[in-house]
Amino acid sequence: MNTLYLECNMGAAGDMLFASLLSLISEQDKFMQKFNNICPSGAVAEYLTVQKRGVSGMQISIRIGDIQEGDVSHDHRHHDSSLGKISDILKKLPITEGVRQRVTDVYSLIAEAEGQVHGTPVDQVHFHEVGALDALCDILGVCMLIDELNPGRILASPICTGYGSVCCAHGVLPVPAPATTLLLRGIPVYQGQIQGELCTPTGAALLKYFVQGFESMPLMKVESIGYGMGKKDFPATNCIRAFWGCSDNLPRKLAVEISCNLDDMTGEDIAFAIERFWEAGALDVFTAPIGMKKSRPGVLLTIICATEAQEVFTDLMLRHTSTFGLRKKEISRVVLARETRTQETQYGPVSLKTGALYDDVEKTKPEYEDLAEIARKNNLTVRQVREGLGNPQ
């Protein structure tokens, strides 16, 4: 499956995403000519090669009339613009309905976030920074490039937001800005060590709309890499890296692994704790024998849980075990879509658990409890029952 992976170790902005995706296509001049013919009146985009911390990459610059993006007067030239005005502009552009809808959807996400921040209905939100023509061009460029690349799936790393404060039309706001914070809900983020705004509302909205999973890079055969450079300079290379290549099509889900080492609990007490974890909805719980300090035999106790439930299981592990500390790490789970159906057999109805098809492979397995109940009733072993079922379909 063609996969686009976005590495956002320095956050995300619309122009950085635009540049990173443009770096992945072969006919960049042809695309930019087409893009500038489509752009709203008065807007012109250009790309150039720049270096950040010794790394060469692409940068997008938008000129609106005689004002270049990044000019000192740039932050003071924005005119308020509503979602309705943005829609009116889009209706006049010669773009496909799919691209038009995607741009509208991204702006709707921003409008909803801004509306919540300011307590304003969505149709009355006035954009400021995100309402400028250069931001519209960035969003349009990303949507057109996604349409051209047509990836089978889009993944991204957790998002670095930066920290500190930022000046905007409303004054001095914390980083990440309130609207950005709302857009990033449900997405794994971290502050990092860079002071400054790394993730903008436009960047957050584009990632929220297009990215299907935020995780470590999957196993993939990389064919090309694009560097989208930001305008600001930081101690680290200010860029988004876009990886294009092939990966398997197995669905992945983020989860958290919580573990601790135990050498002073009885088997009974550990079993009681495990029961509590299962009751609370753990995805998996298991133990493994380990050697600990002073040559003591011990037990490694591990819980795998949904990301949003990690605090619940942190409390349960500290409460029901003797450990004084634990470890956490984010993991990626490959999970087949499953379904359970009932089939009539010579022994009566049996539940079958089936893994969804992928690459013409299907896994089917009878439920153990059904096999065990049949074995008890017929004075058989579980193995005999399983063999008697043959290969249920």
Side-chain angles (χ1 to χ4, degrees), residues 113-114 117-118 129-130 161-168 170-185 196-202 204:
E114 292 282 357
V117 169
H118 303 300
E129 286 84 356
V130 295
T161 63
Y163 70 94
S165 59
V166 61
C167 294
C168 69
H170 298 288
V172 179
L173 297 176
V175 171
T180 304
T181 303
L182 288 174
L183 287 163
L184 292 174
R185 283 184 303 185
E197 184 184 32
L198 300 185
C199 188
T200 67
T202 302

Side-chain angles (χ1 to χ4, degrees), residues 130-150:
V130 295
L133 281 179
D134 52 6
L136 175 58
C137 289
D138 289 337
I139 294 173
L140 177 61
V142 171
C143 291
M144 288 176 62
L145 284 163
I146 292 290
D147 191 59
E148 181 158 327
L149 288 166
N150 192 28

Side-chain angles (χ1 to χ4, degrees), residues 14 37 39 75 99 102 116 143 147 163 191 195 202 204 259 274 305 313 334 351 359 377 380 392:
N37 288 335
C39 268
D75 289 336
V99 170
R102 293 187 188 101
Q116 288 187 50
C143 291
D147 191 59
Y163 70 94
Q191 189 178 69
Q195 184 172 359
T202 302
S259 62
I274 289 174
C305 66
F313 287 97
V334 177
S351 297
D359 293 338
K377 287 182 177 179
L380 299 171

Side-chain angles (χ1 to χ4, degrees), residues 2 18 23 31 43 48 55 57 63 79-80 88 107 109 122 141 154 175 207 214 283 288 328 333 336 354 380 388:
N2 286 332
F18 188 166
S23 301
F31 177 86
L48 59 155
V55 178
R63 188 176 71 253
H79 301 288
D80 286 351
D88 289 339
Y107 259 103
L109 289 175
V122 171
I154 304 174
V175 171
L207 291 173
F214 294 85
L283 300 174
K328 289 185 182 181
R333 300 173 69 233
L336 290 180
T354 303
L380 299 171

Side-chain angles (χ1 to χ4, degrees), residues 75-392:
D75 289 336
H76 304 286
R77 66 174 175 80
H78 296 295
H79 301 288
D80 286 351
S81 185
S82 67
L83 189 60
K85 290 181 179 179
I86 296 296
S87 297
D88 289 339
I89 294 174
L90 288 172
K91 288 177 183 177
K92 300 175 183 177
L93 301 184
I95 53 179
T96 66
E97 285 306 314
V99 170
R100 198 187 325 274
Q101 186 61 54
R102 293 187 188 101
V103 177
T104 302
D105 290 345
V106 171
Y107 259 103
S108 295
L109 289 175
I110 299 172
E112 290 170 7
E114 292 282 357
Q116 288 187 50
V117 169
H118 303 300
T120 304
V122 171
D123 59 355
Q124 296 178 26
V125 168
H126 290 276
F127 292 113
H128 300 294
E129 286 84 356
V130 295
L133 281 179
D134 52 6
L136 175 58
C137 289
D138 289 337
I139 294 173
L140 177 61
V142 171
C143 291
M144 288 176 62
L145 284 163
I146 292 290
D147 191 59
E148 181 158 327
L149 288 166
N150 192 28
R153 63 174 176 169
I154 304 174
L155 304 174
S157 68
I159 311 303
C160 183
T161 63
Y163 70 94
S165 59
V166 61
C167 294
C168 69
H170 298 288
V172 179
L173 297 176
V175 171
T180 304
T181 303
L182 288 174
L183 287 163
L184 292 174
R185 283 184 303 185
I187 296 174
V189 300
Y190 62 101
Q191 189 178 69
Q193 299 179 346
I194 302 295
Q195 184 172 359
E197 184 184 32
L198 300 185
C199 188
T200 67
T202 302
L206 285 166
L207 291 173
K208 188 179 187 70
Y209 183 75
F210 282 110
V211 176
Q212 296 151 337
F214 294 85
E215 58 188 66
S216 300
M217 182 187 290
L219 179 65
M220 60 186 291
K221 182 179 180 181
V222 177
E223 298 173 3
S224 57
I225 305 170
Y227 286 79
M229 299 300 194
K231 301 294 192 304
K232 297 179 181 179
D233 290 318
F234 294 108
T237 305
N238 186 21
C239 71
I240 289 177
R241 284 204 297 181
F243 296 84
W244 177 265
C246 295
S247 65
D248 62 56
N249 60 351
L250 297 177
R252 286 170 168 78
K253 295 183 180 180
L254 287 179
V256 171
E257 182 181 290
I258 305 173
S259 62
C260 67
N261 297 352
L262 304 168
D263 64 1
D264 56 354
M265 285 184 68
T266 67
E268 291 174 331
D269 291 348
I270 293 175
F272 181 84
I274 289 174
E275 289 176 5
R276 304 288 78 75
F277 303 153
W278 283 119
E279 289 172 357
L283 300 174
D284 201 0
V285 184
F286 57 90
T287 61
I290 57 174
M292 296 178 58
K293 63 182 180 181
K294 299 181 181 179
S295 301
R296 296 173 183 167
V299 173
L300 171 63
L301 175 61
T302 302
I303 302 170
I304 295 177
C305 66
T307 302
E308 61 271 18
Q310 60 180 301
E311 295 307 319
V312 172
F313 287 97
T314 296
D315 178 76
L316 286 173
M317 181 172 277
L318 292 172
R319 184 184 300 273
H320 288 287
T321 72
S322 59
T323 188
F324 276 58
L326 47 79
R327 299 174 295 276
K328 289 185 182 181
K329 65 179 178 181
E330 192 174 77
I331 62 174
S332 177
R333 300 173 69 233
V334 177
V335 183
L336 290 180
R338 305 173 188 178
E339 66 174 12
T340 300
R341 65 178 187 268
T342 301
Q343 180 171 312
E344 288 296 329
T345 72
Q346 60 176 315
Y347 302 112
V350 173
S351 297
L352 301 177
K353 182 166 60 178
T354 303
L357 280 168
Y358 72 94
D359 293 338
D360 297 325
V361 175
E362 184 180 55
K363 296 183 178 181
T364 301
K365 178 182 178 181
E367 286 288 354
Y368 168 77
E369 293 300 335
D370 287 4
L371 299 183
E373 182 63 22
I374 292 171
R376 284 190 287 266
K377 287 182 177 179
N378 295 275
N379 195 28
L380 299 171
T381 65
V382 171
R383 178 182 173 183
Q384 288 174 319
V385 176
R386 187 180 290 109
E387 291 176 347
L389 294 180
N391 185 25

